[in-house]
Amino acid sequence: MIRSRSVQVLVLLVSTTALTFAQTKPRARDLGVPFDGTPGPNNAITDVKGVEVGHTTLISGAGKLKVGEGPVRTGVTAVLPRGKESKDAVFGAWFTLNGNGEMTGTTWVEDSGFVDGPIMITNTHSVGVVRDAVIAWKVKRGKPDMEGYWWSLPVVAETWDGYLNDINGFHVKPEHAFHALDSAHTGAVEEGNVGGGTGMICNEFKGGIGTASRVLDAKSGGYTVGVLVQCNYGQRDQLRIAGVPVGREIPEHTVWKDDVGSIIIVVATDAPIIPTQLKRIARKASLGLGRNGSFSGDGSGDIFIAFSTANPEAASPKGIHDLKMVPNDQLDPLFLATVQATEEAVINAMVAAETMTGVNDRTVIALPHDKLREVLKKYNRLTK
Amino acid sequence: MIRSRSVQVLVLLVSTTALTFAQTKPRARDLGVPFDGTPGPNNAITDVKGVEVGHTTLISGAGKLKVGEGPVRTGVTAVLPRGKESKDAVFGAWFTLNGNGEMTGTTWVEDSGFVDGPIMITNTHSVGVVRDAVIAWKVKRGKPDMEGYWWSLPVVAETWDGYLNDINGFHVKPEHAFHALDSAHTGAVEEGNVGGGTGMICNEFKGGIGTASRVLDAKSGGYTVGVLVQCNYGQRDQLRIAGVPVGREIPEHTVWKDDVGSIIIVVATDAPIIPTQLKRIARKASLGLGRNGSFSGDGSGDIFIAFSTANPEAASPKGIHDLKMVPNDQLDPLFLATVQATEEAVINAMVAAETMTGVNDRTVIALPHDKLREVLKKYNRLTK
Amino acid sequence: MIRSRSVQVLVLLVSTTALTFAQTKPRARDLGVPFDGTPGPNNAITDVKGVEVGHTTLISGAGKLKVGEGPVRTGVTAVLPRGKESKDAVFGAWFTLNGNGEMTGTTWVEDSGFVDGPIMITNTHSVGVVRDAVIAWKVKRGKPDMEGYWWSLPVVAETWDGYLNDINGFHVKPEHAFHALDSAHTGAVEEGNVGGGTGMICNEFKGGIGTASRVLDAKSGGYTVGVLVQCNYGQRDQLRIAGVPVGREIPEHTVWKDDVGSIIIVVATDAPIIPTQLKRIARKASLGLGRNGSFSGDGSGDIFIAFSTANPEAASPKGIHDLKMVPNDQLDPLFLATVQATEEAVINAMVAAETMTGVNDRTVIALPHDKLREVLKKYNRLTK
Amino acid sequence: MIRSRSVQVLVLLVSTTALTFAQTKPRARDLGVPFDGTPGPNNAITDVKGVEVGHTTLISGAGKLKVGEGPVRTGVTAVLPRGKESKDAVFGAWFTLNGNGEMTGTTWVEDSGFVDGPIMITNTHSVGVVRDAVIAWKVKRGKPDMEGYWWSLPVVAETWDGYLNDINGFHVKPEHAFHALDSAHTGAVEEGNVGGGTGMICNEFKGGIGTASRVLDAKSGGYTVGVLVQCNYGQRDQLRIAGVPVGREIPEHTVWKDDVGSIIIVVATDAPIIPTQLKRIARKASLGLGRNGSFSGDGSGDIFIAFSTANPEAASPKGIHDLKMVPNDQLDPLFLATVQATEEAVINAMVAAETMTGVNDRTVIALPHDKLREVLKKYNRLTK
């Protein structure tokens, strides 16, 4: 069966990539795109200590669409706030800029103030299989759930990859969710055509997974903010990079007339902030998109989730918990870092993604690096 | 395989029940419980023209829990706002009284103002399989989705049946969702231990599916409001029926100390109201629960969705739509009907449910009809 | 000028009342109404340590309405979460069951998680004067505001008393807000026709201010929950007291056909809970209204605010704060206490209020105590 | 008394300005700032037919702050969705990007879906007086309110002008609100140091009132979207204009270290859209701020309200209303217009505002037009 084979191949590919990624592929800053703020060592969500990211990438088949057979251009990405060995929840909150999408589990995130378990991202039509797989994965790993006495309300988000992927073929299976979870790791994060981002399109360039981080200075607490996006939104002519109208300067090979895409944004921090504050953080991600020119069209599922790895054991059912909280008056550096890291993560996704051909031989081009540099130079914004 | 066999049996059982239900089983009013307002002909959500309800009921096995083998006490319920043949969405809105639960698709319900497709209810750990199955069912039935160019964000809700059901056995399969959809019908609605409600517990009596309706008088527009609940919440000693402290008067065979359950409430109306107004309707369902004594505990997923079957074609992408709207100043009869029908639907669920023995031979008793009548009489509230 | 004189009189009256109130007026429990749970020593919001309540009651004139001259039946109530000497904010959150009303300051309550300053309640058309007066009162009392460098966003709520009061005469002046603040006290709270509640109507009986409290048992933390309501909602025939259809049994002297009123509910607790949790507390107040039969009509401004006096200094702009938090899993006793205290506070308001004649000689009768006892007896619910 | 005199002067000034404004002052486009989209004839919110805007501008005194005496640099702006002669409400909705501010009346906007009456903007400490004045203004003008039988819940928003204005002097009086309402007019809108914007600061340049509009092409329905802002937010070094880092290039005469300001955004359209859709419009305004570099700091009250002048009489209490609705799938041009007009209105506010000296001789400089042109040229973005 084609799909299984491709999975095997891709699993190997992903693992290899994980080891060598940072050395071999330029990122947006490497190309001379100016960004504000100081990134962490990996310029990735994993700069927030404890956060792990894993991908399952499914690529197989080519040519004409046969529903159920392919071509397949999809996958699953897992973000584990405290890593895969922890059963401890994190404080969390979410926000919707435009709601044409799905993020399961948010009703309880909203009311409990916690994200309990991993945050998964996949394609629109595979949210269900991934959701139930997260429960199965938890059941498999833990005694307390064996009898099912405690329930699970997993967080699974999506964007739509049906332009390149046989989305109605339902190619994501439980084992692909398990693999994304089991292969999650700290350190550099694979970007571009990987995981849930495999078949995604961003500003009519090839999109996918992108990430970035910011480290605050000591007087602002020295906290880290990390962002990971699954980037699938936008019209070419709206795209700004570092304020420069890059989209209009590269009008070639557009994909469609309408903004039919979406973006999932995950914001992580180690700052000790409570859910009310995390909700504000999630909302600020909108401003990063604003900087890049998004107008968040009707077809967009622009859904953001933020969590803090501080305050371990706050979800424990027993005792009275001791918490730490950054005062509201000191949140500005975290807000600004969120905006900046979101802005950069989206561009990183486009810079990392490679030209892909999928269903019915449709091709979506990668953002051309040389051309990007030329345009930045034209507008006096190239940094190197 | 035990499970498949039981499904077959139950499908037959359900169909039979559908034909004869109204005649053979008493409902709360038949027992002399006083309720206000005028119900429709079926005193059911299906009194709202076009609404169809289908159930798949899965009951098999007995004795000690073997995860993956049973015992199975679960199912799927489908509510189709315009019936299974329609592809037209309805105006809709949702509300959470307590968020320890899941209702997928609500992000887009909130932002679009529409419920597009069926509303499904199942157990907590089967939300995913039912969700993707709804997409598959749509794909199977329709041309426009074949290439996956338009996405689906199905509405699937849940309550937790792990006290009686092998919930971590994941016994709900796509075909069970298909069956609930395909067997949906107008007319009398099966209540009690059926569909998603099969293994549910309400105020420590056996719970499940319940329904009720109200028809407004002509000067209030003559509209119908129908409610369907999957009822799985509550502590015995809080239960009030028609204001009478029935729970305390029947203290036998309680189940647990804590309110660990949930309730999903679906409110349908044919009144031409817009999403802003439907959100208010959804919120008012809380007051029906209040009448019955609920305090909506931390473990509750009390999630409500309301829709209006008026204004067909409002979701069509083309043209400028002509809508009808009841003024806000005329909403009171609809609000009151929602409260009343919710109050009654919950009691109907308990009255219809039968004593059930499930996982590890745990038994949950039905609300004893004779004892209920005795208590109502003691408090001078028995109507017949 | 009639108004000024009446204010003087009333200020004296209020002070006197404060000293003797508890001894001389029966409350709902004294009349034999059954309520669950254990109240605190005053059965009042002031049982939460630190909370102070003050009223300014304005009653003057009689007969035909002359806008600007009277009759006047209105006032201001102040709830100070930490008393009038504190400048420390409290964690807070709010909820709207039906939004036909005003509570200023809530945008920042929502986003900051704090209530900073007093919670004021008055009539609909005096929200503005009271709001600015709170700022003036703060400016007068404190150095840091002198230059206006820090702003204030006071919380002021209202219900509509225009049936009995010359509401368009704008009789509430800044000094009335000051007096309510300056006269705030701990201990017993005046109920009925006082403060903001002076001219209010509840279930077509005379309404106004009511309060109640619950003390949790030691194993639930021993916390106190206090509720204060300004009660101005409801149709007579919907009124249930302790589940008994009292409204229908006392059909005399109803006021109007429609539910045009509102209710403001303030919930206080000393339990260390964070804003996310307080929002849930605020929402649960709905269920107390549900028990009393409300359907929350279109004209209702049913707006609730909850705060916790724990975690002092959490709003301080400096440092990293140490907080305490009750786990979500232990919130149920607080939820139940909120529902119970809300249920009782509303009945207390009606029991305390006295028949009042106002604008154009309109009279609204008090809930007749003897008749209430008769009805409770008829339905076997009288406790003494 | 100095203040009264200055009001007289200013009223004359405002009237004069209204007649000559368009001819004499350059706007952002006139300076060569590139913006997308097609503005209406006035490039103002008043391009939406029926919308009227009025200002009262209060400037008096100089030198050292004496609370209650001045210096005064404040005012009131009124936006009347259907003009001052209409009593008809408009469909409306609101959104908060950061909640450190006030907009009264929003609880009922949210729940009713209507904005009933004018939208007023003033300084933080004058919200109350303006709110009650709107009621008084309505009472004065209309029979139905004479007895106060119907209530009013005015929409009044604010930003904080205490850096230049004696905000704790409470210089805004009811007659200033009346004047803003009574002088409201169609046509060109005064920008900069006028009305509620008189003492405001934006990105550490002088800010205030700004406006812009967009007209959709015929195939998008030909609708108009107009935006008016009271602009008081932002740090200099974050400011981008047309994507160019203007703030960093003009580092002179900054005001403070922190983002302590706010922005109120009013979006008007004649497109027939319902409240659910207007809420989305209001939310999109965030992206216009994002384009200009805002990160929406903790101290910001970034509160937005949107309304549609279509569907007259939808708020009438009688009958069943006929509405028109643009399908969700056709909203993108409206979303984009909202983002574009917001982006431009903020820049227009800064371009129009003039250097001002206020309390304690503090001076805030205007955005220097020549320098702005230089910077745009440096980054190859100057259009003329």
Side-chain angles (χ1 to χ4, degrees), chain A residues 9-88:
Chain A
V9 171
L10 278 150
V11 167
L12 287 170
L13 180 62
V14 166
S15 306
T16 312
T17 309
L19 296 173
T20 60
F21 176 75
Q23 290 77 26
T24 56
K25 276 178 99 169
R27 303 180 75 189
R29 315 192 151 232
D30 301 325
L31 298 179
V33 183
F35 294 109
D36 298 336
T38 307
N42 293 297
N43 196 11
I45 196 170
T46 47
D47 289 329
V48 177
K49 201 179 158 190
V51 176
E52 295 180 1
V53 176
H55 299 297
T56 300
T57 305
L58 304 177
I59 301 176
S60 68
K64 199 167 160 42
L65 173 69
K66 288 196 180 173
V67 173
E69 295 184 23
V72 179
R73 303 286 185 273
T74 196
V76 183
T77 290
V79 179
L80 294 111
R82 298 192 192 280
K84 59 191 159 300
E85 298 308 325
S86 172
K87 293 190 175 176
D88 193 15

Side-chain angles (χ1 to χ4, degrees), chain C residues 3-23:
Chain C
R3 185 185 46 73
S4 311
R5 185 155 45 81
S6 74
V7 176
Q8 290 308 110
V9 171
L10 278 151
V11 166
L12 288 170
L13 179 64
V14 165
S15 305
T16 313
T17 309
L19 297 173
T20 58
F21 175 75
Q23 288 78 23

